[in-house]
Amino acid sequence: MLRNFALLDAKNASIESDLCVIGAGAAGIAIARAFVGTRTRVAVIESGGLGVDRVAQSLNVGANLGLPYYDLAQARERRFGGTTMRWSGRCAPLDPIDFATRPWVPHSGWPIGPEVLDPYYRRAQDVLDVGEYRYDASLWQDIGLEPDGFDPATFAVRFWRIRARRFGHAFRQDLADAANVTVYLNGTVVSLAPDHDANSIRHVVVQSICGREVIVTARHFVLATGGIENARLLLASDEVERAGIGNGRDLVGRFFMEHPKCRVARIETPDPHGLLERWRKQFPRGMPKLWPALVPTAAVQERHGILNSSLAFYYRSAVGMSAAALRARPPGPAAIARSMAEIPANLVRRYVRRRSVVFAPQALHLLARGEQAPDRNSRVVLSNDRDALGQRRADLDWRLGEIDKRSARVLTELAATEFARLRLGRIMPAAWLSDGSPDGWPLPRPGDATQDHHDHLQGGNHHIGTTRMATDPSRGVTDADARVFGKANLFVAGSSVFPTSGWANPTLTIVALALRLADHLKARLP
């Protein structure tokens, strides 16, 4: 059932459950659904409501201390369904190399292998409703296209499956009808209280904005509040345990990773529209949307000492530019006429339907989405500022290193070689790739109306690695079962447990890990 925490009977000073899941995003909902119909009593605590709430969102406010990043108040959503309520639905699994310990990538290696997650990936496909568990180059045949012939020893073709399933809509009724699951909306967990021996969590304290406070007891607890808030909750428990729960080795909040993305090259090609149509979103009938990308093979990554990243193809269209940018650099009538003449009639119809009008000439470019190398100095830290509930806020110090930039440069050089060999066109690398700075990235230019959002460094709103899993507490915060080291009944769900990020968007792996954790908890909660 769904209940509003703020409207609970004043006599209810406590809530008892077998399992308490903190957060109702992709991970929290996946775990709760796995228990529907069982004899386990599940309490799900969600800070927001069914829709976006300005006051709940204000709890996300924090400062960006490192590289420019998104406004932290808007980079995640406190609501039932979490950030899936506004995501693109882009899904892909991690590659086998992402789980491996790579000598050229410090702090790499998972305590589990890809074979452990494989059956859960297949189950996650159903939860996300993204079709068959297949992401490789064989999908070219399914959509009726021939591959472009990129050297398979250099590049592997991977596909994203794209279907924006909103968990808050798709699974709301499932949980509302469940007799053994109660979702408490508009209640924020403000503290974790360890048992007298400090080896387990006794209860959590939940508050509403209006000042209501309730204690929730359970046999097991799962933090599923996202990569920033999971770390903040553990760090903010420093009044209970020195330095915070699970932070005896100063690892909570560290190793924050994103998927840095940026334009890396312009493509000069005689057939820009043909190339774009092949490598942009595909819409085969009866299948989820598919979007191909080029990914360096494991052998190439090892040979060049680079990260697992991807390349995709983009146009910069006139309609994609801001009004100020168009005024500053409008396409002339002759350029518009030439562009229209080059576009086949079927493409014109397709893009008119999408309300795109005309592409600027020679605006095709390569966009790199990078794996970020784990860096302990890239981190979430506690602020001295406090939110409306009196809790210390989370600030973000996002950092990138030499290997991150070098990987983007090498990836672009490999693409240039392949384009020349296949006579697809000429790759013109962006100047920032070779500007002499080992870790310099193009940053936003305040006040420049002509810049496109792909002109400068961005992330994907993916908050990864801040409670990483490891084989022992000297290397991470959680073990292979996502249990916080030193706590018998506290677990973490979400991308914060990823030791490395890979190139793929994290949600499919988040759900797969959540389903695995649910199975583990079922064994502990007979």
Side-chain angles (χ1 to χ4, degrees):
M1 65 186 75
L2 304 182
R3 303 189 67 180
N4 189 334
F5 178 82
L7 301 180
L8 292 179
D9 190 320
K11 300 176 184 177
N12 295 332
S14 64
I15 297 169
E16 294 183 0
S17 62
D18 297 313
L19 173 64
C20 176
V21 179
I22 303 166
I29 288 177
I31 292 171
R33 284 185 73 243
F35 279 92
V36 169
T38 69
R39 298 178 64 183
T40 301
R41 298 169 302 164
V42 180
V44 181
I45 312 298
E46 169 52 47
S47 181
L50 294 176
V52 176
D53 180 84
R54 180 180 57 82
V55 177
Q57 285 297 111
S58 73
L59 301 178
N60 289 338
V61 169
N64 284 307
L65 308 176
L67 288 167
Y69 193 65
Y70 304 111
D71 181 351
L72 296 185
Q74 305 303 320
R76 51 225 154 104
E77 294 211 358
R78 292 186 185 235
R79 62 185 295 191
F80 183 70
T83 310
T84 69
M85 301 304 289
R86 67 176 189 181
W87 72 316
S88 67
R90 192 186 300 248
C91 293
L94 294 174
D95 292 332
I97 193 173
D98 298 324
F99 296 88
T101 299
R102 292 166 278 174
W104 64 97
V105 182
H107 308 291
S108 61
W110 288 52
I112 59 174
E115 72 286 349
V116 173
L117 271 193
D118 184 70
Y120 295 101
Y121 271 136
R122 296 176 187 277
R123 286 170 54 184
Q125 294 283 120
D126 295 333
V127 173
L128 289 157
D129 191 25
V130 287
E132 185 181 358
Y133 183 49
R134 191 156 52 95
Y135 291 86
D136 61 15
S138 66
L139 287 170
W140 282 125
Q141 297 176 344
D142 291 41
I143 60 179
L145 291 175
E146 292 294 326
D148 275 323
F150 286 96
D151 180 7
T154 302
F155 283 112
V157 176
R158 295 283 188 268
F159 281 82
W160 283 288
R161 290 184 181 270
I162 304 175
R163 176 174 289 180
R165 191 168 208 179
R166 315 294 189 194
F167 277 42
H169 297 323
F171 303 126
R172 175 179 172 180
Q173 202 59 45
D174 289 356
L175 298 185
D177 293 341
N180 67 309
V181 178
T182 303
V183 178
Y184 295 93
L185 302 171
N186 301 305
T188 302
V189 171
V190 295
S191 66
L192 311 173
D195 215 333
H196 64 277
D197 60 4
N199 291 327
S200 60
I201 300 300
R202 182 175 67 253
H203 66 258
V204 297
V205 179
V206 185
Q207 287 184 358
S208 68
I209 293 296
C210 61
R212 181 74 192 284
E213 182 173 295
V214 168
I215 289 175
V216 179
T217 61
R219 293 169 61 190
H220 294 285
F221 296 85
V222 177
L223 295 182
T225 59
I228 294 177
E229 188 66 10
N230 281 347
R232 193 203 69 79
L233 271 171
L234 293 174
L235 290 171
S237 301
D238 56 354
E239 294 180 358
V240 179
E241 290 188 21
R242 185 172 177 269
I245 290 176
N247 198 33
R249 305 295 182 95
D250 188 24
L251 293 175
V252 173
R254 293 190 181 273
F255 299 102
F256 174 87
M257 291 172 285
E258 248 282 6
H259 286 117
K261 62 179 179 179
C262 190
R263 180 183 291 119
V264 292
R266 181 167 54 87
I267 303 174
E268 293 182 351
T269 175
D271 184 20
H273 302 291
L275 187 62
L276 180 72
E277 274 302 291
R278 174 178 293 275
W279 286 90
R280 282 300 296 266
K281 298 175 185 176
Q282 308 292 337
F283 301 87
R285 184 173 298 174
M287 294 178 62
K289 301 173 186 178
L290 298 171
W291 194 335
L294 287 175
V295 178
T297 64
V300 164
Q301 292 177 49
E302 182 174 9
R303 184 184 315 130
H304 293 278
I306 61 174
L307 300 164
N308 195 9
S309 305
S310 71
L311 288 174
F313 299 80
Y314 282 83
Y315 250 117
R316 180 175 182 176
S317 66
V319 291
M321 299 168 65
S322 67
L326 283 173
R327 287 193 298 270
R329 193 170 60 204
I336 293 176
R338 285 195 302 272
S339 293
M340 291 299 293
E342 292 173 359
I343 304 177
N346 64 326
L347 290 187
V348 173
R349 287 192 295 271
R350 181 177 300 179
Y351 283 106
V352 166
R353 283 198 300 268
R354 298 180 196 172
R355 285 179 285 185
S356 291
V357 182
V358 61
F359 294 120
Q362 296 182 344
L364 187 61
H365 60 269
L366 280 177
L367 185 81
R369 284 183 174 85
E371 174 187 10
Q372 178 178 344
D375 179 353
R376 62 178 285 113
N377 293 318
S378 181
R379 62 187 301 199
V380 171
V381 298
L382 287 180
S383 169
N384 289 323
D385 293 336
R386 296 185 179 266
D387 62 23
L389 297 175
Q391 301 299 300
R392 294 178 68 184
R393 298 185 182 277
D395 291 343
L396 177 63
D397 187 356
W398 182 32
R399 303 189 188 189
L400 294 169
E402 182 273 337
I403 189 175
D404 301 296
K405 180 176 178 179
R406 178 164 51 82
S407 296
R409 185 182 71 248
V410 172
L411 195 63
T412 306
E413 292 169 352
L414 292 171
T417 300
E418 283 297 285
F419 263 70
R421 182 180 67 83
L422 296 170
R423 298 182 180 179
L424 291 175
R426 185 181 178 194
I427 298 293
M428 310 294 290
W432 67 268
L433 288 172
S434 55
D435 64 3
S437 171
D439 55 0
W441 293 74
L443 303 180
R445 303 183 297 274
D448 185 351
T450 67
Q451 64 183 327
D452 180 80
H453 67 285
H454 287 146
D455 284 340
H456 54 77
L457 173 68
Q458 303 174 78
N461 278 313
H462 305 154
H463 308 146
I464 301 170
T466 55
T467 62
R468 64 199 325 254
M469 61 167 59
T471 54
D472 65 80
S474 68
R475 295 171 51 85
V477 178
T478 61
D479 66 13
D481 294 319
R483 181 181 63 85
V484 175
F485 285 114
K487 294 291 177 284
N489 67 342
L490 179 60
F491 298 81
V492 182
S495 55
S496 67
V497 303
F498 294 14
T500 53
S501 62
W503 70 273
N505 293 49
T507 305
L508 182 66
T509 305
I510 288 173
V511 174
L513 283 169
L515 295 174
R516 178 174 179 263
L517 176 55
D519 279 0
H520 179 72
L521 290 168
K522 285 179 180 179
R524 297 172 65 105
L525 288 163

